Amino acid sequence: MRPSPDALLREATREARGKLKIFLGAAPGVGKTFEMLSEGAARLREGADVVVAVVETHGRAETEALVAPFEIVPRRSLDYRGQTLTEMDIDAVIARRPALALVDELAHTNIDGSRHPKRWQDIIELLDAGIDVYTTLNVQHIESLNDVVASFTRVRVRETVPDAIFDDAEIEIVDIPPDELIERLKDGKVYVPAEATRALGHFFSKANLSALREMALRQAAHTVDRRMLEHLDASAVSGSFAAGERVLVAVSELAGADALVRTAKRLADALRAPWSAVFIETPRAENFTPEQKARIAATLRLAASLGATIATIAAESVTAGLTAQVQAMRATQLVLGRSRRTWWFALRHGSVVETMLAASDGLAVHVIPADAARAAAPGQRWVPPSVDPLVYAMVALLVAVTTIVGIVAQPWIGSGALDLLYLVPVIIAANRYGLTPGLITGVAAALAYNFFFLPPVHSFTITDPQGVITIVILLGVAAFTSRLTGTTRSRAAIGVRNARTNADLAAFAQALTRVSDAESTAETVVAEAAHLLDVQAQLYVLRNGEPVMLAAAPAGGVLTPLDRAALDWAFGRGEPSGNGTATLNGSDWQFHPLRTSLGILAVLGVARGDGTDPVPSDRAVLLANLVAQASLAHERLHLESEVRELSVLKERDRLRIALLSSIGHDLRTPMTSVRSAIETLVAEQPGAEPVRVAQAEVQRLERFLGNLLSMVRLESGALTIASEVIDLTDAIGGAVHDLRDPLRGRHIDLKVPASLPFVRADPKLLHQVLINLLANAAEHGRDDGTITVAGERGAEGITLTIRDDGAGIDPALGNRVFDLFVSGAGSDRAGGSGLGLAIVKGFADAMGVTVGAANHPDGGAVFSLKFRAMVTG
């Protein structure tokens, strides 16, 4: 057994990414966050670089105490419906590059304006950046279990995560008995006490919690089993390793195979195990009747509708194919049917059941006998194949010609070698016409040889035992040659079909590489699907939330409401639907979603004009390959489009930064000359009002130029952080001193306690931040008003606020006041440059300081700076 290339590739990909560990629980309140923080603290004590990216404490003192030792990455503030909410700052976590990030609530939905709609997508980005992640999840949030949980809890969870998130994850079950969890609920440790009684009577019943607990344990077991199988495949280790059950059912052309499939389904459900149905395509399959081929297709279609993975495997024999499939999927349970076969069939093909039982090392074999009715089904009786009468005429001619040649040649070669001459027609007939004509030729040749050449001649009497041996040999050669020829011909037919399929797939892949836009790709996909599968094909994409047909082959075709419902299901659930599937199979169309790591990018629909199954069993593998290649092509197009858009944005940003830098530097020299001239006028005319106004405007322009150059440094990535221990009182005093002229006439109410701990920040950047906030307060407050600067220490650090007494911030803006060049009342954009508060936001983020903006209840705007890095002594 050699290592699986796919498994090795998955292992290599996994090594290049961060590692994900999910703390899985049956319900809220089992202690997932507590366990995650405890393990994170253990890693921290071992010297690992661990940070908290986002953890929801829900006001629990014990959880807040566990969070205290960690460095907390500041969250990103977003305005949502007039409120300021926070989400995990992905860029800040990636820039910090810890060894391990703690991210609570995997199924969380991010608020509008976030980079990704779901937190699990944020985590994937962290993993791609090489950062290990610990996260938490309840079992009801798993997509495949959502409907099952809703069926007995009567509560449908809207926030779900795809099952694929578990593919590369380590699972740790956080579990407590249902009675203990209910007691925690009654004590108000899960929800607030006012809601506890209602929740206990619905979701938090003992029966529900027990069922959820079992589902969590089984999910963890399945994940561990899958990871183990991947490791075994990559390591080329043989054996079933029955840590988890895996069911395989073998289907055949015989009537009653559907009963085998239903038996396997019941067995898989009882074991809660994945299961597969396989048909072994041997050379004998080339001789199946249309009825038998249709029965195989119907049986595999039934298995697929019941949730099985189906496959058709080409092999020399049924036992060889089954053995290979058992080893490939490491099956632990094999379901076989035992039908009533003739002794002649058993002699030629052997007993599959007896062979698999003899070789079932560690494999449980379930043998399901066929009943009398099934055994007497028409498809199970052996019917001699019909032969063209012309074939018999050719057989007679071959024997006659051989006899004439023997009579003519007898004087020269003697009677002893004539029996070998009769092998020629036997081999020719068996090779060209099959078993029955070969056997008839063998009998005819033996009779002719006996009649014309064995004494007594011209009689069928055999007096010499040698004649009997000759006849037996001729019949044996006929049987062996016909069987060998038939097997070789069937193998060749299967090989040609497989080669044609591989060639078609290769041509399809090459065709996809030659197109570079969505429309051409869609046309290529439907054209190849229609040609290779002999079906009608259509490809749909979502536009503004609605499916839109991008291409069709042949053109035209209108979907019925049932077809449209099946299409919507494929888009919404990412599962095949329609004709021949388990969902909406009354539709004429069968829809297959093009699933990628970016989501469902398109849906391929196939149908036949007569309404029959569009994809018979022998073409299912071909369709799966077509869908997989089409998915990769659409993913490539999507990524290429994003790269092009990113390149345009980068070029635009480069030009903007270059322009701003040029303007900033070109204006510095004339501004220096203007400032010198103004200073000279101030010295000569110290009390002149025009001179004072000119001096104030020059200072404002200098601040604008400073902000302009600071923005260039921010966006070009040239900003460096040199953190120092800073006394906020001194920092505020320095900023007020530098703004003494713009602040003249205003009262500065300083409420920063002397006992406030020092903070750690970059002194130059913090000075610029304070100057911009004070200048903004002076600009939008009253000329003779008060600017209040207050500092206080809280549980999460030190908060410094600067409040003016102006009109406040436009509620429509919220935290957008920090965006570049956004205008609005209450910000430095109203008559300002549109840079001041953007600089505040950029510098604060660079220092790890959280900045916020809000309106004070008593009027005016309040800007806050939250410092998490304190120096306490």
Side-chain angles (χ1 to χ4, degrees):
M1 183 177 182
R2 65 182 183 88
S4 166
D6 292 337
L8 289 174
L9 180 60
R10 285 192 296 269
E11 289 283 345
T13 304
R14 192 176 293 129
E15 288 298 323
R17 304 175 73 237
K19 294 179 175 57
L20 175 63
K21 183 171 184 178
I22 300 176
F23 293 85
L24 183 65
V30 297
K32 303 179 299 298
T33 302
F34 189 93
E35 184 64 22
M36 178 185 71
L37 291 172
S38 298
E39 289 209 15
R43 290 280 304 275
L44 190 65
R45 288 192 296 271
E46 293 170 357
D49 184 12
V50 185
V51 301
V52 170
V54 57
V55 167
E56 304 297 342
T57 63
H58 299 296
R60 300 187 184 98
E62 62 272 18
T63 308
E64 293 176 352
L66 285 173
V67 172
F70 295 100
E71 175 187 343
I72 302 176
V73 178
R75 300 191 194 183
R76 182 166 173 258
S77 298
L78 294 169
D79 182 66
Y80 182 70
R81 297 180 181 178
Q83 298 181 349
T84 300
L85 302 177
T86 61
E87 291 288 1
M88 179 175 65
D89 192 333
I90 308 173
D91 292 328
V93 178
I94 294 176
R96 172 63 177 74
R97 296 200 67 82
L100 173 63
L102 308 182
V103 184
D104 207 5
E105 298 184 0
L106 174 63
H108 171 76
T109 299
N110 295 328
I111 62 175
D112 293 342
S114 300
R115 181 182 306 174
H116 303 298
K118 298 290 186 178
R119 183 167 290 170
W120 62 264
Q121 296 170 311
D122 298 341
I123 289 178
I124 288 177
E125 187 169 346
L126 295 181
L127 296 173
D128 290 339
I131 300 172
D132 293 349
V133 176
Y134 284 179
T135 188
T136 62
L137 181 71
N138 287 326
V139 71
Q140 64 265 29
H141 293 286
I142 301 174
E143 179 64 43
S144 63
L145 302 178
N146 185 254
D147 291 338
V148 180
V149 173
S151 67
F152 63 83
T153 63
R154 302 295 187 268
V155 177
R156 181 173 293 279
V157 177
R158 300 298 177 186
E159 295 179 322
T160 60
V161 299
D163 291 58
I165 201 74
F166 289 89
D167 289 348
D168 297 327
E170 177 186 351
I171 307 297
E172 179 173 325
I173 291 292
V174 183
D175 184 42
I176 61 175
D179 291 335
E180 184 177 339
L181 180 56
I182 292 173
E183 288 301 319
R184 285 174 54 82
L185 180 67
K186 290 179 178 179
D187 295 339
K189 296 180 179 179
V190 179
Y191 293 127
V192 295
E195 298 176 352
T197 302
R198 180 170 56 85
L200 180 62
H202 294 82
F203 188 88
F204 282 85
S205 68
K206 186 172 181 178
N208 286 349
L209 293 177
S210 298
L212 291 170
R213 188 184 187 195
E214 180 182 356
M215 292 174 70
L217 292 171
R218 288 190 179 277
Q219 179 67 34
H222 289 165
T223 301
V224 171
D225 184 58
R226 183 172 58 249
R227 291 290 299 275
M228 179 196 69
L229 293 180
E230 289 181 1
H231 174 72
L232 293 175
D233 290 341
S235 305
V237 178
S238 60
S240 62
F241 285 81
E245 300 292 348
R246 294 171 289 277
V247 179
L248 176 66
V249 56
V251 303
S252 69
E253 79 284 3
L254 301 178
D258 54 345
L260 285 181
V261 168
R262 295 187 180 93
T263 300
K265 167 64 174 173
R266 291 193 297 271
L267 177 62
D269 287 346
L271 297 174
R272 303 288 181 91
W275 66 295
S276 301
V278 63
F279 168 68
I280 306 301
E281 185 180 28
T282 63
R284 192 173 64 89
E286 288 295 309
N287 300 321
F288 284 170
T289 64
E291 180 186 0
Q292 290 172 322
K293 293 179 179 179
R295 187 179 297 122
I296 294 170
T299 304
L300 290 177
R301 187 163 58 248
L302 172 64
S305 69
L306 294 176
T309 301
I310 62 173
T312 299
I313 307 297
E316 292 288 333
S317 65
V318 174
T319 53
L322 270 182
T323 301
Q325 186 67 6
V326 166
Q327 293 175 350
M329 69 172 289
R330 301 182 188 273
T332 61
Q333 309 280 335
L334 175 63
V335 180
L336 296 173
R338 187 166 200 165
S339 59
R340 297 183 180 179
R341 302 280 197 176
T342 63
W343 66 269
W344 176 239
F345 183 93
L347 179 64
R348 289 186 298 147
H349 301 285
S351 172
V352 174
V353 173
E354 296 298 335
T355 304
M356 295 306 298
L357 284 172
S360 59
D361 184 16
L363 177 69
V365 181
H366 302 260
V367 180
I368 311 301
D371 56 29
R374 217 175 284 134
Q380 296 190 29
R381 293 196 190 99
W382 181 79
V383 178
S386 59
V387 180
D388 188 351
L390 184 61
V391 172
Y392 294 115
M394 290 298 300
V395 166
L397 179 62
L398 284 171
V399 174
V401 170
T402 304
T403 302
I404 293 172
V405 171
I407 293 173
V408 173
Q410 186 178 15
W412 290 280
I413 63 176
S415 301
L418 291 177
D419 55 349
L420 298 177
L421 193 62
Y422 278 99
L423 288 176
V424 175
V426 171
I427 293 174
I428 292 175
N431 184 53
R432 289 184 59 85
Y433 306 121
L435 177 62
T436 301
L439 291 176
I440 292 175
T441 305
V443 172
L447 292 175
Y449 176 66
N450 178 41
F451 187 81
F452 290 103
F453 300 106
L454 288 182
V457 295
H458 304 137
S459 169
F460 289 107
T461 303
I462 301 176
T463 59
D464 188 353
Q466 180 182 354
V468 177
I469 295 175
T470 301
I471 293 174
V472 172
I473 290 176
L474 289 174
L475 294 176
V477 168
F480 176 79
T481 303
S482 62
R483 180 173 176 80
L484 179 61
T485 303
T487 302
T488 303
R489 186 181 294 115
S490 298
R491 289 176 186 169
I494 294 173
V496 168
R497 186 168 62 248
N498 291 337
R500 187 182 298 116
T501 299
N502 292 334
D504 290 339
L505 289 174
F508 179 53
Q510 291 178 355
L512 289 177
T513 59
R514 291 194 293 267
V515 293
S516 58
D517 61 275
E519 288 73 16
S520 299
T521 300
E523 291 172 359
T524 301
V525 169
V526 297
E528 290 295 325
H531 168 66
L532 296 177
L533 300 173
D534 190 25
V535 294
Q536 304 172 40
Q538 296 179 352
L539 192 108
Y540 291 84
V541 296
L542 285 180
R543 297 280 171 81
N544 299 320
E546 292 294 329
V548 175
M549 185 171 66
L550 206 58
V558 179
L559 299 184
T560 66
L562 183 59
D563 299 334
R564 180 70 62 172
L567 175 62
D568 292 339
W569 180 278
F571 267 116
R573 302 300 295 270
E575 300 172 354
S577 60
N579 189 357
T581 70
T583 304
L584 300 172
N585 55 15
S587 169
D588 292 333
W589 287 80
Q590 186 179 104
F591 295 100
H592 294 267
L594 305 188
R595 285 190 293 264
T596 70
S597 59
L598 304 175
I600 307 299
L601 298 184
V603 168
L604 175 65
V606 292
R608 294 190 184 275
D610 56 5
T612 58
D613 185 5
V615 187
S617 62
D618 58 341
R619 311 299 280 170
V621 176
L622 175 60
L623 175 63
N625 286 322
L626 291 176
V627 169
Q629 291 196 29
S631 301
L632 290 175
H634 279 79
E635 185 176 33
R636 172 178 59 82
L637 287 177
H638 191 84
L639 293 175
E640 287 177 353
S641 175
E642 288 186 347
V643 169
R644 286 193 295 268
E645 292 176 1
L646 185 59
S647 299
V648 171
L649 290 175
K650 284 184 175 180
E651 181 63 18
R652 188 178 68 183
D653 285 346
R654 188 188 67 79
L655 293 174
R656 182 166 59 85
I657 290 172
L659 178 62
L660 293 176
S661 178
S662 177
I663 293 174
H665 286 91
D666 289 348
L667 289 179
R668 271 201 161 184
T669 300
M671 277 301 304
T672 301
S673 301
V674 172
R675 185 183 60 187
S676 299
I678 294 296
E679 289 176 350
T680 301
L681 289 175
V682 169
E684 294 175 354
Q685 306 175 31
E689 179 65 18
V691 174
R692 189 190 66 79
V693 172
Q695 185 182 31
E697 289 302 312
V698 166
Q699 291 174 348
R700 189 170 70 85
L701 285 174
E702 284 185 324
R703 288 197 302 274
F704 165 72
L705 285 177
N707 284 336
L708 191 64
L709 294 175
S710 296
M711 180 58 64
V712 171
R713 291 167 60 204
L714 267 175
E715 297 197 349
S716 64
L719 193 66
T720 57
I721 307 297
S723 296
E724 298 178 7
V725 176
I726 297 176
D727 185 343
L728 285 179
T729 304
D730 292 343
I732 296 167
V736 171
H737 178 269
D738 287 351
L739 287 175
R740 57 190 178 278
D741 289 335
L743 295 178
R744 184 178 289 112
R746 294 172 177 82
H747 174 63
I748 305 298
D749 186 8
L750 190 61
K751 297 181 178 180
V752 180
S755 59
L756 200 66
F758 293 171
V759 299
R760 186 174 293 278
D762 186 301
K764 294 181 180 179
L765 300 186
L766 179 59
H767 183 73
Q768 186 69 45
V769 167
L770 294 175
I771 282 181
N772 285 3
L773 289 178
L774 288 170
N776 184 72
E779 172 118 14
H780 297 285
R782 298 198 312 269
D783 292 341
D784 59 348
T786 300
I787 298 176
T788 303
V789 182
E792 62 177 357
R793 179 177 182 178
E796 297 184 354
I798 293 175
T799 301
L800 182 70
T801 58
I802 298 176
R803 174 194 168 196
D804 61 44
D805 54 2
I809 301 171
D810 186 350
L813 287 179
N815 273 344
R816 290 182 58 239
V817 295
F818 294 109
D819 293 346
L820 195 61
F821 302 131
V822 173
S823 298
S827 73
D828 70 336
R829 263 68 68 183
S833 65
L835 290 173
L837 293 183
I839 295 295
V840 168
K841 174 66 174 173
F843 282 4
D845 288 346
M847 294 185 293
V849 177
T850 303
V851 63
N855 286 324
H856 195 276
D858 297 331
V862 179
F863 292 86
S864 62
L865 298 172
K866 294 183 179 180
F867 299 85
R868 298 184 183 274
M870 297 182 295
V871 180
T872 57

